[in-house]
Amino acid sequence: YLCAHSEIQEVIISGGEPLLYSNTDLAYRLRDLRSLPSVRRIRIHTRVWAHNPYRLDEKFCKLLARYNVTALSVHLVHPVELTTELVAAVDRLRASGARTLLVGQTPLLKGINDDPAVLHELFSGMVDLGIKPYYLLHNMPNTPGAAVRRTSVRRGVEIMLALGRNV
């Protein structure tokens, strides 16, 4: 598909959890993507940072550098996920020489982070680590079981107004 559509310049590796693939499997996919002249940007979206930051080992970080992965989107929900292990993973990435931009994606979850103070602490901690808070997501309306954590768009707007430009 990508070969037939040279207008596509950016590819996001996401869905499921891409870092469940081995480094060898990821290298194979990244090599294929980088062989296409039209693909200028590659992003990887992952939740692994929060529950297994050890997955971001030196070999993985070198893959990011070797295949010039443009951005790594880090899925974080709450400040308690900003652990010393996560900080060490960021340090490994920086030491690898990868120029990968770190951006954050945060789902807004009722009773977990739907509070301006909690999000301020999370976003501030992310910025301190060099992770730019980038996406604040609402649950999809038809996701099974998600209704208990769904936060209204109105509440999301209220939270963003309360945060202002304080992060």
Side-chain angles (χ1 to χ4, degrees):
Y1 186 85
L2 291 172
C3 291
H5 292 275
S6 61
E7 70 275 11
I8 298 173
Q9 297 183 354
E10 181 171 34
V11 174
I12 299 172
I13 301 172
S14 185
E17 176 49 68
L19 295 190
L20 291 180
Y21 289 114
S22 69
N23 287 337
T24 302
D25 287 341
L26 280 172
Y28 174 78
R29 287 163 174 78
L30 293 170
R31 183 176 53 247
D32 280 354
L33 289 172
R34 278 293 171 224
S35 73
L36 302 171
S38 59
V39 175
R40 297 178 57 195
R41 292 174 298 280
I42 299 172
R43 291 191 292 169
I44 298 175
H45 288 217
T46 181
R47 173 87 173 123
V48 161
W49 287 62
H51 63 83
N52 184 14
Y54 303 104
R55 171 62 182 93
L56 284 86
D57 59 14
E58 286 183 35
K59 289 180 181 178
F60 173 75
C61 292
K62 288 182 192 240
L63 278 179
L64 296 178
R66 179 176 181 190
Y67 294 105
N68 193 25
V69 173
T70 313
L72 192 59
S73 186
V74 182
H75 183 134
L76 296 168
V77 174
H78 194 274
V80 299
E81 295 177 323
L82 300 174
T83 63
T84 56
E85 294 83 6
L86 185 133
V87 172
V90 171
D91 290 345
R92 281 191 298 277
L93 178 64
R94 297 294 182 223
S96 74
R99 297 182 317 158
T100 305
L101 175 67
L102 298 178
V103 296
Q105 58 184 30
T106 300
L108 191 56
L109 301 175
K110 185 185 341 181
I112 295 174
N113 66 2
D114 62 335
D115 177 283
V118 170
L119 286 179
H120 182 270
E121 184 180 349
L122 174 63
F123 295 160
S124 293
M126 289 166 64
V127 168
D128 291 346
L129 291 174
I131 302 169
K132 179 181 181 175
Y134 200 66
Y135 297 112
L136 183 63
L137 311 165
H138 279 79
N139 282 334
M140 298 302 289
N142 297 317
T143 304
V148 296
R149 295 288 177 219
R150 190 164 298 121
T151 304
S152 71
V153 172
R154 180 182 307 259
R155 179 64 182 141
V157 170
E158 290 169 357
I159 290 168
M160 292 309 294
L161 289 172
L163 286 171
R165 296 203 179 265
N166 294 322
V167 177

